[in-house]
Amino acid sequence: MKKKQVPSMVKDQRLVKKRRDQIVKAAVQLFNKKGYHKTTTREVAQKSGFSIGTLYEYIGSKEDILYLVCDSVYDEVVENWAQLMDENLHGLERLKQVIEAYFRVVNDLQDEVLVMYQESKSLSGEALNYVLQKELKMKAMFEKELQNAIDEGYLSLTKEELDLACHNILVAGHMWTFRRWVVQREYTIDQYCKLQLRQLLEGFNLQTSPSVEKELS
């Protein structure tokens, strides 16, 4: 997974980081409001607090801005997620806490996450591949936790079920952002975490009868 080298005319790396953080913050607000394609680099520069000329001292193209947004958001999600995890927990409690921590990080960074999933498709070539690989890296974190629960006897999943479970957890987190226009009117984040954990780990509590069992077989 090779990180894209975004060109910069500035050599001071601390200043580069500071300015790019400003660019990312401004871009997230604009992309959420107008979308990536309808937002101009001049608008990003103005929102960032400097001129268009200064903006291009830290990037080479408009796509670089989107790449920096996606790269930054993934890193921030993973970093904040790690800080919320309790390493003292084990077994099923550990698994529940890892999933809930992920949901809560998405809640804290919902604008950033929404932009990342709505606009990352506009990246091209290696930049898009790099971002997609980061998504798979997050999936691998859930694979590890689920496999630990399987090894400890708390879960029973085939390889195919394990893979799908990881995707389901990731999408359940995403849903809090891209369905927020309705989901967040119906649930608090506490309720959402509780109900999602129940459905993810216990299913729909299907009440079976002989006729239903026949349909499911």
Side-chain angles (χ1 to χ4, degrees):
M1 186 168 64
K2 187 176 180 182
K3 189 179 182 76
K4 178 183 177 181
Q5 296 302 310
V6 176
S8 173
M9 293 164 40
V10 178
K11 301 303 180 185
D12 184 341
Q13 291 304 304
R14 287 178 299 179
L15 183 57
V16 170
K17 184 180 185 310
K18 179 180 177 181
R19 292 288 182 255
R20 286 182 174 173
D21 286 347
Q22 290 175 262
I23 292 169
V24 167
K25 184 177 180 180
V28 165
Q29 295 179 48
L30 290 167
F31 293 169
N32 256 315
K33 183 178 180 181
K34 302 181 63 175
Y36 168 69
H37 292 291
K38 291 184 179 180
T39 299
T40 67
T41 52
R42 188 172 298 277
E43 288 173 323
V44 174
Q46 184 179 25
K47 191 76 171 177
S48 301
F50 36 75
S51 69
I52 187 71
T54 300
L55 178 75
Y56 277 105
E57 291 179 3
Y58 298 94
I59 61 165
S61 67
K62 182 182 175 182
E63 185 177 306
D64 286 342
I65 298 174
L66 179 58
Y67 172 79
L68 289 173
V69 168
C70 293
D71 191 35
S72 173
V73 172
Y74 269 116
D75 287 346
E76 193 170 2
V77 167
V78 173
E79 180 181 339
N80 291 5
W81 187 14
Q83 290 175 0
L84 288 177
M85 292 186 198
D86 187 347
E87 297 298 330
N88 295 316
L89 293 177
H90 299 281
L92 199 55
E93 288 306 308
R94 161 75 180 182
L95 179 60
K96 288 180 179 179
Q97 200 264 343
V98 167
I99 297 172
E100 181 172 340
Y102 165 65
F103 291 160
R104 292 189 181 279
V105 167
V106 171
N107 176 59
D108 292 340
L109 299 172
Q110 55 186 276
D111 286 345
E112 290 85 348
V113 171
L114 187 61
V115 166
M116 181 174 64
Y117 285 107
Q118 284 183 329
E119 307 294 353
S120 61
K121 61 183 180 294
S122 297
L123 293 170
S124 59
E126 288 302 311
L128 177 59
N129 184 59
Y130 175 78
V131 169
L132 294 178
Q133 287 300 312
K134 281 200 162 187
E135 171 83 359
L136 292 178
K137 188 175 180 181
M138 290 179 66
K139 175 178 175 284
M141 294 173 70
F142 284 120
E143 287 178 347
K144 177 183 176 182
E145 297 296 337
L146 287 168
Q147 188 60 57
N148 286 341
I150 292 170
D151 293 343
E152 293 174 5
Y154 293 99
L155 293 178
S156 177
L157 296 170
T158 65
K159 178 63 170 64
E160 292 78 9
E161 290 170 335
L162 173 60
D163 284 341
L164 187 57
C166 294
H167 289 298
N168 282 338
I169 295 168
L170 283 168
V171 172
H174 303 168
M175 187 170 70
W176 183 249
T177 66
F178 59 67
R179 295 281 297 176
R180 65 183 180 181
W181 60 274
V182 61
V183 173
Q184 293 187 23
R185 289 207 304 261
E186 297 177 351
Y187 308 100
T188 65
I189 185 60
D190 291 337
Q191 292 170 326
Y192 188 80
C193 289
K194 180 180 179 180
L195 292 172
Q196 283 287 9
L197 280 170
R198 182 183 299 166
Q199 288 194 358
L200 286 166
L201 298 177
E202 300 175 23
F204 291 142
N205 193 25
L206 185 64
Q207 303 299 305
T208 60
S209 65
S211 60
V212 172
E213 289 179 353
K214 184 177 180 181
E215 289 180 21
L216 293 174
S217 62

